[in-house]
Amino acid sequence: MMREIRKYGDPVLARTADPVVEFDTELKRLVDDMFETMYAAPGVGLAAPQVGVSKRLFVMDCSTKDGVQERLALINPEIVSTEGSQVGDEGCLSFPGIYFQVDRPQRVIARAQDVKGNWFDIDTTDLSARCILHENDHLNGIVFISHLSALKRDLIKRKIKKRIKAGDW
Ligand code: GNR
Ligand code: NI
C-alpha cells in the first residue's frame, strides 16, 4: 500500500525517531509499504518519518543496473565509521523540485537490524554511502538543507514559503 510522503514543514520530519522494538508483521507491512512508496516516487531511499512514522528505519535501493534491485531495509541503524569526502547532487522526496550539492563522506560502515531483528553490517561508498547518511539524518530530525550555509538555507526556506502560499507544496 502506498503511503503519503510528508513534506518539509511537517513536524514529524523534525522529530528524533524512536527505536524499533517489535519485529512483527506490522513492521514487515510498513517496510513493504515504504518500498512501494519509494519506487513509485521514484527515489533511492525513504525514511519512516517521511511517511509519518517516527521510528528508526529506512529503506533504500541505489542499484544502477536496470532490472537488478538492491533492496535494503535498515532498522535501528548505527553509523560505525565514515571516511573521505564526496560532493554530489542531492535531492529529498520531502523537498520536491529542490536539488543542490552536499558534501558527505565517501565511505560509510554501518550496522543495522533486518526485518527479523538480525544485526548485519554494511560497508559501502558513493551514492549508497550518501543515501545511508541522508536517511540516517532523517531519523534524527535532520533534513538535507541543514548541511547548507545559513545564507543558502534561508534562501531555500523563503522559496518554500512562497510555494506554500501558492499552494505548490
Ligand atoms: O531519492 C533520493 N535521492 C537522493 C539523491 C542523493 C542523495 C540522497 C537521496 S535520498 C532521496 C530520497 C529521500 O528523500 N530520502 O530521504
Ligand atoms: Ni530525504
Side-chain angles (χ1 to χ4, degrees), residues 5 34 37-39 41-47 50 58-62 92-93 131 134-135 138:
I5 297 179
M34 285 171 62
T37 307
M38 179 189 79
Y39 286 123
V44 296
L46 187 69
Q50 291 182 283
F58 61 81
V59 297
M60 58 185 276
D61 186 343
C62 290
C92 181
L93 294 170
C131 189
H134 176 116
E135 303 313 334
H138 275 301

Side-chain angles (χ1 to χ4, degrees), residues 3 8 12-13 15 27 33 37 41-42 69 72 76 88 94 106 110 112 116 118 131 134 151-152:
R3 304 220 184 183
Y8 176 68
V12 72
L13 294 174
R15 226 173 271 154
L27 177 70
D33 288 355
T37 307
Q69 292 190 344
L72 275 172
N76 296 328
S94 299
Q106 163 65 12
K116 291 179 180 161
N118 298 313
C131 189
H134 176 116
L151 196 76
K152 286 184 187 170

